[in-house]
Amino acid sequence: QVQLVESGGGLVQAGDSLRLSCAASGGRAFSNYAMGWFRQAPGKEREFVAAITANAYSTAYADSLKGRFTISRDNVKNTLLLQMNSLKPEDTAVYYCAARGRVSISRVGIDYNYWGQGTQVTVSS
């Protein structure tokens, strides 16, 4: 019911920055959904990156990413953002936007009801 489309990925060098976007449509109003970013590197499990409450009052980050990545949202434009700074080769992964049918944060992928198709981020040495 909710459609999510990620964009902004690409090939960058270590130390560069990228800003990922996720456009949401359908379902209830965007402001009803807590949102999250997850990523999956080749041969590895999907892992939590960041999440934000429906009203942007609170955020959560994977401990290893805190300080480099920033999650935000624009509930007028129905857009979720992920600012990624000081990128490292180990950040290389497909990044997924996800919507959760509650207003509160979850760090667990199974708690999210809708997923985008992902956008590839590749960081060279």
Side-chain angles (χ1 to χ4, degrees), residues 34-37 48-63 65-67 69-73 80-82 103-107 112:
M35 300 292 296
W37 287 100
F48 171 75
V49 174
I52 187 167
T53 53
N55 63 2
Y57 185 78
S58 183
T59 58
Y61 297 90
D63 289 342
L65 302 178
K66 185 181 284 290
F69 287 16
T70 303
I71 189 171
S72 61
R73 67 191 294 160
L80 179 73
L81 302 172
L82 183 69
V103 298
S104 58
I105 283 173
S106 174
R107 298 172 181 261
Y112 289 80

Side-chain angles (χ1 to χ4, degrees), residues 3-125:
Q3 292 186 342
L4 304 171
V5 181
E6 302 95 337
S7 62
L11 174 62
V12 298
Q13 293 183 325
D16 286 352
S17 296
L18 277 176
R19 191 186 197 193
L20 304 184
S21 296
C22 172
S25 61
R28 298 173 292 167
F30 183 58
S31 58
N32 291 320
Y33 298 91
M35 300 292 296
W37 287 100
F38 293 78
R39 69 185 185 183
Q40 188 167 22
K44 296 192 174 185
E45 296 292 314
R46 180 181 60 195
E47 66 175 341
F48 171 75
V49 174
I52 187 167
T53 53
N55 63 2
Y57 185 78
S58 183
T59 58
Y61 297 90
D63 289 342
S64 62
L65 302 178
K66 185 181 284 290
R68 291 198 298 123
F69 287 16
T70 303
I71 189 171
S72 61
R73 67 191 294 160
D74 186 335
N75 284 351
V76 174
K77 297 182 178 180
N78 293 354
T79 301
L80 179 73
L81 302 172
L82 183 69
Q83 178 67 43
M84 305 185 294
N85 297 326
S86 301
L87 284 164
K88 305 174 181 179
E90 49 263 48
D91 294 319
T92 295
V94 177
Y95 284 72
Y96 296 94
C97 169
R100 168 168 149 84
R102 299 178 66 89
V103 298
S104 58
I105 283 173
S106 174
R107 298 172 181 261
V108 182
I110 58 174
D111 286 342
Y112 289 80
N113 304 102
Y114 306 99
W115 295 82
Q117 294 299 305
T119 186
Q120 177 71 47
V121 173
T122 302
V123 185
S124 63
S125 300

